[in-house]
Amino acid sequence: MTSTTTTPPRTPSTTKGAAVAPAATHHADGLDTLVLGRRIRHLRTLRGMTLDDLGAAIGRAASQVSMLENGHREPKLSLLSHVADALGVPLTDLLRTDPPSRRAALEIELERAQRGPLFTSLGMGQVKVGKSLPGDALEALVSLVGTVQRLLTEHAATPEEARRANAELRAQMRSQDNYFPELEEHARTLLRGIDHAGGPLGQRATADIAAHLGFTLHYVSDLPHSTRSVTDLANHRIYLPAGNPGSSDSRSPLLQALASHVLGHGEPRDYADFLRQRVQANYLAAALLLPEDSAVPFLQEAKSERQLSVEDLRDRFAVPYETAAHRFTNLATRHLGIPVHFMKVHEGGTLHKAYENDGVVFPSDALGAIEGQPVCRQWTARVVFGLADRFSPYYQYTDTTSGTFWCTSRVQPSSQGAFSVSVGTPFAHVRWFRGRETTERTASRCPDPTCCRQPPEPLADRWADRSWPSARPHASLLAALPVGVFPGVDTTEVYEFLDRHAPQTP
């Protein structure tokens, strides 16, 4: 991710329907020519002036005034000063950013839609937007365009698009070593705001950050099943599950909710934007739990002693192993000069999520997506599932087609089954890590199918024509990706929940 700047919340539509994605009518100086044109037309008609009258007053042809009012040209400030004088208003009145009337707002929205990619892609003819267009027809057209745009947006997240968005995001993260200085500074500012002295961030300090940002916390038993938390921005409340079922760290859902608020996240524009927001929120939450100013000296000392360990980082900051592993990838390359990779693999052998900047080659599909791809049985992330001892860290060298890598891995349970979480580095950098003395070593020839995709020949000869497995497919195998502004979230359920819990106004 080359930038962590997020878009502000989307401005609500002026219609009762969904908002239409506007075509660009803003110019480099921030001037919106459509709004400007409608303000000039509104003021001209109020004064009973014709196009010829205004044109004569400013020394321009009526056709030029019409172009100005329709937003087809960007005027110079000197011309706008003449227009303001002719209309008898201050220049600031012309430059206001709000439409002069509801009718004008609807006309602007329809004009933007007609100039945008939606009309072009549908091959639709243009509707003349003028005073002859009845108000009810204008309302219906804008609402219809908004509905079409919403439906297209909701159904745009095809599996192919999602996989491509994941691949692009991972490439951007790799390009900057999974380190985001802007988010580190956000974390630093928040910790200063509560006078955090450094080290682990306890539950009390987490609540202090919420209070510092003006939020009260409410633990409830009926949180919508599709959410980890719900933020009521109107009443500055954050709702969290009582007991935090399914979460190994009760601080994370709260910090992620606060991160989205701090970063100004609005409704995601598309699935890629949704993924970026999730990565940013998770990153900022981890940067608060393991502050850079405390974690980096701890890791640098461990490196100097050649005793780098994800377990030690976990224990020092009292976080889950996966959080410590993620955070290690944020800091290892930037501050320690060590390239790394991270993997989370389901017990079924499929890759759940991963990151690398050390040259390891993950299994991928034709689009470059890695999620759901089978991981080689010889890799540490798969071998660890076969161990009797799942409490001790496991270390292994793996010779692959892209070089030799050392990894450490642990297995953790979840409601979706067991997952292994692994952190690794190329052989040239293993000297800094605890566990480098391991004698465990395997060789992987993947993607060569004879490595582990195909069964050994004796087994195949014995069972190929004498067996028929009944597959247990993932529930999502044939389903489309969840639709909606926030994929997978039942918006109606969330709004009904907020209605139940919002403070009653007298």
PDB file of all heavy atoms in Angstrom, residues 273-309:
ATOM      1  N   ASP A 273     -11.188  -1.160  -1.672  1.00  0.00           N
ATOM      2  CA  ASP A 273     -11.181  -0.144  -0.627  1.00  0.00           C
ATOM      3  C   ASP A 273     -11.518  -0.772   0.724  1.00  0.00           C
ATOM      4  O   ASP A 273     -10.942  -0.419   1.758  1.00  0.00           O
ATOM      5  CB  ASP A 273     -12.185   0.963  -0.971  1.00  0.00           C
ATOM      6  CG  ASP A 273     -11.965   2.229  -0.159  1.00  0.00           C
ATOM      7  OD1 ASP A 273     -10.799   2.533   0.168  1.00  0.00           O
ATOM      8  OD2 ASP A 273     -12.955   2.927   0.128  1.00  0.00           O
ATOM      9  N   PHE A 274     -12.449  -1.718   0.718  1.00  0.00           N
ATOM     10  CA  PHE A 274     -12.802  -2.441   1.943  1.00  0.00           C
ATOM     11  C   PHE A 274     -11.579  -3.165   2.509  1.00  0.00           C
ATOM     12  O   PHE A 274     -11.309  -3.114   3.711  1.00  0.00           O
ATOM     13  CB  PHE A 274     -13.928  -3.433   1.642  1.00  0.00           C
ATOM     14  CG  PHE A 274     -14.192  -4.424   2.734  1.00  0.00           C
ATOM     15  CD1 PHE A 274     -14.870  -4.054   3.883  1.00  0.00           C
ATOM     16  CD2 PHE A 274     -13.764  -5.741   2.624  1.00  0.00           C
ATOM     17  CE1 PHE A 274     -15.103  -4.965   4.907  1.00  0.00           C
ATOM     18  CE2 PHE A 274     -13.993  -6.660   3.623  1.00  0.00           C
ATOM     19  CZ  PHE A 274     -14.673  -6.280   4.776  1.00  0.00           C
ATOM     20  N   LEU A 275     -10.817  -3.822   1.630  1.00  0.00           N
ATOM     21  CA  LEU A 275      -9.619  -4.524   2.084  1.00  0.00           C
ATOM     22  C   LEU A 275      -8.580  -3.565   2.640  1.00  0.00           C
ATOM     23  O   LEU A 275      -7.959  -3.833   3.674  1.00  0.00           O
ATOM     24  CB  LEU A 275      -9.017  -5.323   0.929  1.00  0.00           C
ATOM     25  CG  LEU A 275      -9.793  -6.551   0.448  1.00  0.00           C
ATOM     26  CD1 LEU A 275      -9.070  -7.197  -0.726  1.00  0.00           C
ATOM     27  CD2 LEU A 275      -9.986  -7.553   1.568  1.00  0.00           C
ATOM     28  N   ARG A 276      -8.380  -2.437   1.951  1.00  0.00           N
ATOM     29  CA  ARG A 276      -7.399  -1.448   2.430  1.00  0.00           C
ATOM     30  C   ARG A 276      -7.779  -0.936   3.814  1.00  0.00           C
ATOM     31  O   ARG A 276      -6.930  -0.803   4.700  1.00  0.00           O
ATOM     32  CB  ARG A 276      -7.300  -0.288   1.438  1.00  0.00           C
ATOM     33  CG  ARG A 276      -6.459  -0.574   0.213  1.00  0.00           C
ATOM     34  CD  ARG A 276      -6.202   0.686  -0.578  1.00  0.00           C
ATOM     35  NE  ARG A 276      -7.428   1.214  -1.159  1.00  0.00           N
ATOM     36  CZ  ARG A 276      -7.901   0.872  -2.349  1.00  0.00           C
ATOM     37  NH1 ARG A 276      -7.254  -0.016  -3.082  1.00  0.00           N
ATOM     38  NH2 ARG A 276      -9.013   1.410  -2.819  1.00  0.00           N
ATOM     39  N   GLN A 277      -9.065  -0.643   3.998  1.00  0.00           N
ATOM     40  CA  GLN A 277      -9.509  -0.146   5.303  1.00  0.00           C
ATOM     41  C   GLN A 277      -9.277  -1.192   6.390  1.00  0.00           C
ATOM     42  O   GLN A 277      -8.864  -0.858   7.511  1.00  0.00           O
ATOM     43  CB  GLN A 277     -10.983   0.246   5.233  1.00  0.00           C
ATOM     44  CG  GLN A 277     -11.262   1.490   4.397  1.00  0.00           C
ATOM     45  CD  GLN A 277     -12.703   1.923   4.469  1.00  0.00           C
ATOM     46  OE1 GLN A 277     -13.495   1.386   5.245  1.00  0.00           O
ATOM     47  NE2 GLN A 277     -13.060   2.899   3.659  1.00  0.00           N
ATOM     48  N   ARG A 278      -9.541  -2.448   6.062  1.00  0.00           N
ATOM     49  CA  ARG A 278      -9.348  -3.504   7.063  1.00  0.00           C
ATOM     50  C   ARG A 278      -7.872  -3.637   7.439  1.00  0.00           C
ATOM     51  O   ARG A 278      -7.535  -3.775   8.620  1.00  0.00           O
ATOM     52  CB  ARG A 278      -9.886  -4.830   6.525  1.00  0.00           C
ATOM     53  CG  ARG A 278      -9.882  -5.934   7.571  1.00  0.00           C
ATOM     54  CD  ARG A 278     -10.524  -7.183   7.048  1.00  0.00           C
ATOM     55  NE  ARG A 278      -9.759  -7.786   5.961  1.00  0.00           N
ATOM     56  CZ  ARG A 278     -10.054  -8.966   5.425  1.00  0.00           C
ATOM     57  NH1 ARG A 278     -11.096  -9.643   5.857  1.00  0.00           N
ATOM     58  NH2 ARG A 278      -9.302  -9.458   4.451  1.00  0.00           N
ATOM     59  N   VAL A 279      -6.992  -3.590   6.429  1.00  0.00           N
ATOM     60  CA  VAL A 279      -5.557  -3.667   6.704  1.00  0.00           C
ATOM     61  C   VAL A 279      -5.114  -2.492   7.568  1.00  0.00           C
ATOM     62  O   VAL A 279      -4.347  -2.651   8.525  1.00  0.00           O
ATOM     63  CB  VAL A 279      -4.760  -3.708   5.386  1.00  0.00           C
ATOM     64  CG1 VAL A 279      -3.283  -3.440   5.629  1.00  0.00           C
ATOM     65  CG2 VAL A 279      -4.946  -5.057   4.702  1.00  0.00           C
ATOM     66  N   GLN A 280      -5.588  -1.291   7.250  1.00  0.00           N
ATOM     67  CA  GLN A 280      -5.203  -0.111   8.020  1.00  0.00           C
ATOM     68  C   GLN A 280      -5.675  -0.207   9.461  1.00  0.00           C
ATOM     69  O   GLN A 280      -4.923   0.108  10.394  1.00  0.00           O
ATOM     70  CB  GLN A 280      -5.770   1.140   7.351  1.00  0.00           C
ATOM     71  CG  GLN A 280      -5.121   1.485   6.028  1.00  0.00           C
ATOM     72  CD  GLN A 280      -5.850   2.599   5.307  1.00  0.00           C
ATOM     73  OE1 GLN A 280      -6.877   3.097   5.773  1.00  0.00           O
ATOM     74  NE2 GLN A 280      -5.333   3.003   4.164  1.00  0.00           N
ATOM     75  N   ALA A 281      -6.928  -0.621   9.662  1.00  0.00           N
ATOM     76  CA  ALA A 281      -7.462  -0.723  11.023  1.00  0.00           C
ATOM     77  C   ALA A 281      -6.700  -1.777  11.829  1.00  0.00           C
ATOM     78  O   ALA A 281      -6.365  -1.564  13.003  1.00  0.00           O
ATOM     79  CB  ALA A 281      -8.952  -1.059  10.979  1.00  0.00           C
ATOM     80  N   ASN A 282      -6.418  -2.921  11.204  1.00  0.00           N
ATOM     81  CA  ASN A 282      -5.667  -3.964  11.906  1.00  0.00           C
ATOM     82  C   ASN A 282      -4.249  -3.501  12.240  1.00  0.00           C
ATOM     83  O   ASN A 282      -3.718  -3.786  13.320  1.00  0.00           O
ATOM     84  CB  ASN A 282      -5.606  -5.228  11.047  1.00  0.00           C
ATOM     85  CG  ASN A 282      -6.950  -5.927  10.958  1.00  0.00           C
ATOM     86  OD1 ASN A 282      -7.850  -5.675  11.759  1.00  0.00           O
ATOM     87  ND2 ASN A 282      -7.097  -6.810   9.988  1.00  0.00           N
ATOM     88  N   TYR A 283      -3.638  -2.790  11.297  1.00  0.00           N
ATOM     89  CA  TYR A 283      -2.270  -2.313  11.511  1.00  0.00           C
ATOM     90  C   TYR A 283      -2.228  -1.330  12.685  1.00  0.00           C
ATOM     91  O   TYR A 283      -1.374  -1.438  13.577  1.00  0.00           O
ATOM     92  CB  TYR A 283      -1.760  -1.643  10.240  1.00  0.00           C
ATOM     93  CG  TYR A 283      -0.282  -1.279  10.271  1.00  0.00           C
ATOM     94  CD1 TYR A 283       0.630  -1.982   9.498  1.00  0.00           C
ATOM     95  CD2 TYR A 283       0.207  -0.230  11.053  1.00  0.00           C
ATOM     96  CE1 TYR A 283       1.985  -1.658   9.503  1.00  0.00           C
ATOM     97  CE2 TYR A 283       1.545   0.104  11.075  1.00  0.00           C
ATOM     98  CZ  TYR A 283       2.431  -0.610  10.296  1.00  0.00           C
ATOM     99  OH  TYR A 283       3.764  -0.278  10.316  1.00  0.00           O
ATOM    100  N   LEU A 284      -3.140  -0.349  12.676  1.00  0.00           N
ATOM    101  CA  LEU A 284      -3.122   0.649  13.744  1.00  0.00           C
ATOM    102  C   LEU A 284      -3.416   0.009  15.099  1.00  0.00           C
ATOM    103  O   LEU A 284      -2.801   0.365  16.113  1.00  0.00           O
ATOM    104  CB  LEU A 284      -4.133   1.757  13.441  1.00  0.00           C
ATOM    105  CG  LEU A 284      -4.207   2.908  14.450  1.00  0.00           C
ATOM    106  CD1 LEU A 284      -2.833   3.480  14.744  1.00  0.00           C
ATOM    107  CD2 LEU A 284      -5.141   4.009  13.938  1.00  0.00           C
ATOM    108  N   ALA A 285      -4.327  -0.957  15.131  1.00  0.00           N
ATOM    109  CA  ALA A 285      -4.608  -1.653  16.392  1.00  0.00           C
ATOM    110  C   ALA A 285      -3.354  -2.355  16.906  1.00  0.00           C
ATOM    111  O   ALA A 285      -3.027  -2.290  18.101  1.00  0.00           O
ATOM    112  CB  ALA A 285      -5.747  -2.651  16.196  1.00  0.00           C
ATOM    113  N   ALA A 286      -2.629  -3.024  16.008  1.00  0.00           N
ATOM    114  CA  ALA A 286      -1.403  -3.717  16.421  1.00  0.00           C
ATOM    115  C   ALA A 286      -0.323  -2.734  16.847  1.00  0.00           C
ATOM    116  O   ALA A 286       0.446  -2.998  17.778  1.00  0.00           O
ATOM    117  CB  ALA A 286      -0.895  -4.595  15.277  1.00  0.00           C
ATOM    118  N   ALA A 287      -0.269  -1.570  16.180  1.00  0.00           N
ATOM    119  CA  ALA A 287       0.727  -0.563  16.540  1.00  0.00           C
ATOM    120  C   ALA A 287       0.441   0.037  17.910  1.00  0.00           C
ATOM    121  O   ALA A 287       1.361   0.545  18.570  1.00  0.00           O
ATOM    122  CB  ALA A 287       0.758   0.547  15.485  1.00  0.00           C
ATOM    123  N   LEU A 288      -0.800  -0.032  18.360  1.00  0.00           N
ATOM    124  CA  LEU A 288      -1.135   0.422  19.713  1.00  0.00           C
ATOM    125  C   LEU A 288      -0.810  -0.661  20.740  1.00  0.00           C
ATOM    126  O   LEU A 288      -0.322  -0.365  21.833  1.00  0.00           O
ATOM    127  CB  LEU A 288      -2.624   0.787  19.783  1.00  0.00           C
ATOM    128  CG  LEU A 288      -3.028   2.061  19.035  1.00  0.00           C
ATOM    129  CD1 LEU A 288      -4.545   2.135  18.888  1.00  0.00           C
ATOM    130  CD2 LEU A 288      -2.506   3.304  19.756  1.00  0.00           C
ATOM    131  N   LEU A 289      -1.076  -1.913  20.384  1.00  0.00           N
ATOM    132  CA  LEU A 289      -0.808  -3.009  21.317  1.00  0.00           C
ATOM    133  C   LEU A 289       0.686  -3.260  21.491  1.00  0.00           C
ATOM    134  O   LEU A 289       1.138  -3.632  22.586  1.00  0.00           O
ATOM    135  CB  LEU A 289      -1.487  -4.290  20.809  1.00  0.00           C
ATOM    136  CG  LEU A 289      -3.008  -4.326  20.912  1.00  0.00           C
ATOM    137  CD1 LEU A 289      -3.568  -5.508  20.126  1.00  0.00           C
ATOM    138  CD2 LEU A 289      -3.453  -4.398  22.373  1.00  0.00           C
ATOM    139  N   LEU A 290       1.442  -3.074  20.402  1.00  0.00           N
ATOM    140  CA  LEU A 290       2.897  -3.246  20.456  1.00  0.00           C
ATOM    141  C   LEU A 290       3.536  -1.965  19.922  1.00  0.00           C
ATOM    142  O   LEU A 290       3.936  -1.894  18.752  1.00  0.00           O
ATOM    143  CB  LEU A 290       3.349  -4.447  19.616  1.00  0.00           C
ATOM    144  CG  LEU A 290       2.837  -5.833  20.033  1.00  0.00           C
ATOM    145  CD1 LEU A 290       1.524  -6.156  19.322  1.00  0.00           C
ATOM    146  CD2 LEU A 290       3.864  -6.903  19.726  1.00  0.00           C
ATOM    147  N   PRO A 291       3.620  -0.919  20.741  1.00  0.00           N
ATOM    148  CA  PRO A 291       4.085   0.388  20.254  1.00  0.00           C
ATOM    149  C   PRO A 291       5.490   0.309  19.655  1.00  0.00           C
ATOM    150  O   PRO A 291       6.381  -0.370  20.174  1.00  0.00           O
ATOM    151  CB  PRO A 291       4.068   1.263  21.513  1.00  0.00           C
ATOM    152  CG  PRO A 291       3.118   0.583  22.446  1.00  0.00           C
ATOM    153  CD  PRO A 291       3.258  -0.874  22.162  1.00  0.00           C
ATOM    154  N   GLU A 292       5.673   0.999  18.551  1.00  0.00           N
ATOM    155  CA  GLU A 292       6.953   0.984  17.854  1.00  0.00           C
ATOM    156  C   GLU A 292       8.098   1.410  18.773  1.00  0.00           C
ATOM    157  O   GLU A 292       9.171   0.808  18.775  1.00  0.00           O
ATOM    158  CB  GLU A 292       6.875   1.907  16.636  1.00  0.00           C
ATOM    159  CG  GLU A 292       8.142   1.959  15.800  1.00  0.00           C
ATOM    160  CD  GLU A 292       7.982   2.849  14.576  1.00  0.00           C
ATOM    161  OE1 GLU A 292       7.196   3.819  14.644  1.00  0.00           O
ATOM    162  OE2 GLU A 292       8.636   2.575  13.560  1.00  0.00           O
ATOM    163  N   ASP A 293       7.865   2.461  19.567  1.00  0.00           N
ATOM    164  CA  ASP A 293       8.934   2.997  20.408  1.00  0.00           C
ATOM    165  C   ASP A 293       9.381   2.016  21.486  1.00  0.00           C
ATOM    166  O   ASP A 293      10.497   2.123  22.008  1.00  0.00           O
ATOM    167  CB  ASP A 293       8.470   4.307  21.071  1.00  0.00           C
ATOM    168  CG  ASP A 293       8.260   5.418  20.056  1.00  0.00           C
ATOM    169  OD1 ASP A 293       8.732   5.264  18.908  1.00  0.00           O
ATOM    170  OD2 ASP A 293       7.606   6.422  20.389  1.00  0.00           O
ATOM    171  N   SER A 294       8.517   1.058  21.830  1.00  0.00           N
ATOM    172  CA  SER A 294       8.890   0.035  22.810  1.00  0.00           C
ATOM    173  C   SER A 294       9.314  -1.262  22.141  1.00  0.00           C
ATOM    174  O   SER A 294      10.257  -1.929  22.584  1.00  0.00           O
ATOM    175  CB  SER A 294       7.708  -0.251  23.755  1.00  0.00           C
ATOM    176  OG  SER A 294       7.297   0.911  24.434  1.00  0.00           O
ATOM    177  N   ALA A 295       8.622  -1.637  21.073  1.00  0.00           N
ATOM    178  CA  ALA A 295       8.891  -2.922  20.438  1.00  0.00           C
ATOM    179  C   ALA A 295      10.223  -2.939  19.699  1.00  0.00           C
ATOM    180  O   ALA A 295      10.936  -3.956  19.726  1.00  0.00           O
ATOM    181  CB  ALA A 295       7.751  -3.271  19.481  1.00  0.00           C
ATOM    182  N   VAL A 296      10.570  -1.833  19.050  1.00  0.00           N
ATOM    183  CA  VAL A 296      11.801  -1.824  18.253  1.00  0.00           C
ATOM    184  C   VAL A 296      13.046  -2.019  19.118  1.00  0.00           C
ATOM    185  O   VAL A 296      13.900  -2.862  18.811  1.00  0.00           O
ATOM    186  CB  VAL A 296      11.894  -0.549  17.397  1.00  0.00           C
ATOM    187  CG1 VAL A 296      13.283  -0.406  16.773  1.00  0.00           C
ATOM    188  CG2 VAL A 296      10.834  -0.579  16.300  1.00  0.00           C
ATOM    189  N   PRO A 297      13.231  -1.264  20.235  1.00  0.00           N
ATOM    190  CA  PRO A 297      14.402  -1.524  21.082  1.00  0.00           C
ATOM    191  C   PRO A 297      14.440  -2.962  21.603  1.00  0.00           C
ATOM    192  O   PRO A 297      15.519  -3.565  21.701  1.00  0.00           O
ATOM    193  CB  PRO A 297      14.233  -0.526  22.234  1.00  0.00           C
ATOM    194  CG  PRO A 297      13.398   0.576  21.656  1.00  0.00           C
ATOM    195  CD  PRO A 297      12.455  -0.101  20.719  1.00  0.00           C
ATOM    196  N   PHE A 298      13.270  -3.502  21.931  1.00  0.00           N
ATOM    197  CA  PHE A 298      13.209  -4.881  22.408  1.00  0.00           C
ATOM    198  C   PHE A 298      13.712  -5.841  21.336  1.00  0.00           C
ATOM    199  O   PHE A 298      14.517  -6.745  21.606  1.00  0.00           O
ATOM    200  CB  PHE A 298      11.763  -5.214  22.793  1.00  0.00           C
ATOM    201  CG  PHE A 298      11.552  -6.628  23.227  1.00  0.00           C
ATOM    202  CD1 PHE A 298      11.872  -7.030  24.516  1.00  0.00           C
ATOM    203  CD2 PHE A 298      11.039  -7.576  22.345  1.00  0.00           C
ATOM    204  CE1 PHE A 298      11.690  -8.353  24.920  1.00  0.00           C
ATOM    205  CE2 PHE A 298      10.854  -8.885  22.741  1.00  0.00           C
ATOM    206  CZ  PHE A 298      11.175  -9.277  24.034  1.00  0.00           C
ATOM    207  N   LEU A 299      13.279  -5.643  20.097  1.00  0.00           N
ATOM    208  CA  LEU A 299      13.705  -6.514  19.000  1.00  0.00           C
ATOM    209  C   LEU A 299      15.173  -6.288  18.640  1.00  0.00           C
ATOM    210  O   LEU A 299      15.896  -7.246  18.318  1.00  0.00           O
ATOM    211  CB  LEU A 299      12.818  -6.267  17.774  1.00  0.00           C
ATOM    212  CG  LEU A 299      11.363  -6.730  17.899  1.00  0.00           C
ATOM    213  CD1 LEU A 299      10.548  -6.273  16.692  1.00  0.00           C
ATOM    214  CD2 LEU A 299      11.290  -8.243  18.039  1.00  0.00           C
ATOM    215  N   GLN A 300      15.612  -5.043  18.684  1.00  0.00           N
ATOM    216  CA  GLN A 300      17.014  -4.764  18.351  1.00  0.00           C
ATOM    217  C   GLN A 300      17.955  -5.423  19.356  1.00  0.00           C
ATOM    218  O   GLN A 300      19.014  -5.949  18.982  1.00  0.00           O
ATOM    219  CB  GLN A 300      17.244  -3.250  18.299  1.00  0.00           C
ATOM    220  CG  GLN A 300      16.615  -2.596  17.082  1.00  0.00           C
ATOM    221  CD  GLN A 300      16.693  -1.087  17.104  1.00  0.00           C
ATOM    222  OE1 GLN A 300      16.773  -0.475  18.185  1.00  0.00           O
ATOM    223  NE2 GLN A 300      16.659  -0.468  15.936  1.00  0.00           N
ATOM    224  N   GLU A 301      17.578  -5.409  20.618  1.00  0.00           N
ATOM    225  CA  GLU A 301      18.400  -6.080  21.626  1.00  0.00           C
ATOM    226  C   GLU A 301      18.416  -7.589  21.398  1.00  0.00           C
ATOM    227  O   GLU A 301      19.466  -8.236  21.502  1.00  0.00           O
ATOM    228  CB  GLU A 301      17.865  -5.770  23.026  1.00  0.00           C
ATOM    229  CG  GLU A 301      18.698  -6.401  24.130  1.00  0.00           C
ATOM    230  CD  GLU A 301      18.185  -6.069  25.521  1.00  0.00           C
ATOM    231  OE1 GLU A 301      17.225  -5.268  25.626  1.00  0.00           O
ATOM    232  OE2 GLU A 301      18.743  -6.611  26.494  1.00  0.00           O
ATOM    233  N   ALA A 302      17.242  -8.139  21.058  1.00  0.00           N
ATOM    234  CA  ALA A 302      17.175  -9.578  20.790  1.00  0.00           C
ATOM    235  C   ALA A 302      18.021  -9.933  19.572  1.00  0.00           C
ATOM    236  O   ALA A 302      18.684 -10.982  19.549  1.00  0.00           O
ATOM    237  CB  ALA A 302      15.723 -10.001  20.575  1.00  0.00           C
ATOM    238  N   LYS A 303      18.030  -9.074  18.565  1.00  0.00           N
ATOM    239  CA  LYS A 303      18.851  -9.346  17.386  1.00  0.00           C
ATOM    240  C   LYS A 303      20.338  -9.317  17.745  1.00  0.00           C
ATOM    241  O   LYS A 303      21.117 -10.169  17.289  1.00  0.00           O
ATOM    242  CB  LYS A 303      18.560  -8.332  16.288  1.00  0.00           C
ATOM    243  CG  LYS A 303      19.372  -8.582  15.018  1.00  0.00           C
ATOM    244  CD  LYS A 303      19.210  -7.501  13.975  1.00  0.00           C
ATOM    245  CE  LYS A 303      20.087  -7.772  12.755  1.00  0.00           C
ATOM    246  NZ  LYS A 303      20.062  -6.678  11.763  1.00  0.00           N
ATOM    247  N   SER A 304      20.728  -8.345  18.570  1.00  0.00           N
ATOM    248  CA  SER A 304      22.141  -8.246  18.951  1.00  0.00           C
ATOM    249  C   SER A 304      22.601  -9.489  19.704  1.00  0.00           C
ATOM    250  O   SER A 304      23.772  -9.873  19.658  1.00  0.00           O
ATOM    251  CB  SER A 304      22.379  -6.995  19.803  1.00  0.00           C
ATOM    252  OG  SER A 304      21.762  -7.125  21.078  1.00  0.00           O
ATOM    253  N   GLU A 305      21.640 -10.143  20.384  1.00  0.00           N
ATOM    254  CA  GLU A 305      21.960 -11.367  21.121  1.00  0.00           C
ATOM    255  C   GLU A 305      21.683 -12.622  20.285  1.00  0.00           C
ATOM    256  O   GLU A 305      21.828 -13.737  20.768  1.00  0.00           O
ATOM    257  CB  GLU A 305      21.128 -11.426  22.404  1.00  0.00           C
ATOM    258  CG  GLU A 305      21.448 -10.296  23.373  1.00  0.00           C
ATOM    259  CD  GLU A 305      20.509 -10.267  24.570  1.00  0.00           C
ATOM    260  OE1 GLU A 305      19.547 -11.073  24.588  1.00  0.00           O
ATOM    261  OE2 GLU A 305      20.731  -9.458  25.480  1.00  0.00           O
ATOM    262  N   ARG A 306      21.242 -12.401  19.036  1.00  0.00           N
ATOM    263  CA  ARG A 306      20.882 -13.490  18.131  1.00  0.00           C
ATOM    264  C   ARG A 306      19.821 -14.394  18.762  1.00  0.00           C
ATOM    265  O   ARG A 306      19.888 -15.624  18.688  1.00  0.00           O
ATOM    266  CB  ARG A 306      22.120 -14.308  17.734  1.00  0.00           C
ATOM    267  CG  ARG A 306      23.178 -13.451  17.054  1.00  0.00           C
ATOM    268  CD  ARG A 306      24.278 -14.265  16.434  1.00  0.00           C
ATOM    269  NE  ARG A 306      25.215 -13.387  15.726  1.00  0.00           N
ATOM    270  CZ  ARG A 306      25.874 -13.713  14.626  1.00  0.00           C
ATOM    271  NH1 ARG A 306      25.694 -14.916  14.088  1.00  0.00           N
ATOM    272  NH2 ARG A 306      26.714 -12.879  14.048  1.00  0.00           N
ATOM    273  N   GLN A 307      18.812 -13.745  19.327  1.00  0.00           N
ATOM    274  CA  GLN A 307      17.752 -14.474  20.010  1.00  0.00           C
ATOM    275  C   GLN A 307      16.372 -13.930  19.617  1.00  0.00           C
ATOM    276  O   GLN A 307      15.458 -13.877  20.447  1.00  0.00           O
ATOM    277  CB  GLN A 307      17.930 -14.377  21.532  1.00  0.00           C
ATOM    278  CG  GLN A 307      19.101 -15.160  22.079  1.00  0.00           C
ATOM    279  CD  GLN A 307      18.893 -16.652  21.915  1.00  0.00           C
ATOM    280  OE1 GLN A 307      17.836 -17.190  22.221  1.00  0.00           O
ATOM    281  NE2 GLN A 307      19.914 -17.351  21.408  1.00  0.00           N
ATOM    282  N   LEU A 308      16.218 -13.523  18.361  1.00  0.00           N
ATOM    283  CA  LEU A 308      14.906 -13.050  17.924  1.00  0.00           C
ATOM    284  C   LEU A 308      13.891 -14.182  18.042  1.00  0.00           C
ATOM    285  O   LEU A 308      14.156 -15.324  17.661  1.00  0.00           O
ATOM    286  CB  LEU A 308      14.961 -12.571  16.475  1.00  0.00           C
ATOM    287  CG  LEU A 308      15.553 -11.184  16.233  1.00  0.00           C
ATOM    288  CD1 LEU A 308      15.704 -10.919  14.745  1.00  0.00           C
ATOM    289  CD2 LEU A 308      14.690 -10.111  16.882  1.00  0.00           C
ATOM    290  N   SER A 309      12.712 -13.843  18.583  1.00  0.00           N
ATOM    291  CA  SER A 309      11.698 -14.868  18.816  1.00  0.00           C
ATOM    292  C   SER A 309      10.322 -14.216  18.820  1.00  0.00           C
ATOM    293  O   SER A 309      10.093 -13.246  19.551  1.00  0.00           O
ATOM    294  CB  SER A 309      11.944 -15.574  20.151  1.00  0.00           C
ATOM    295  OG  SER A 309      10.809 -16.298  20.562  1.00  0.00           O
TER     296      SER A 309
END
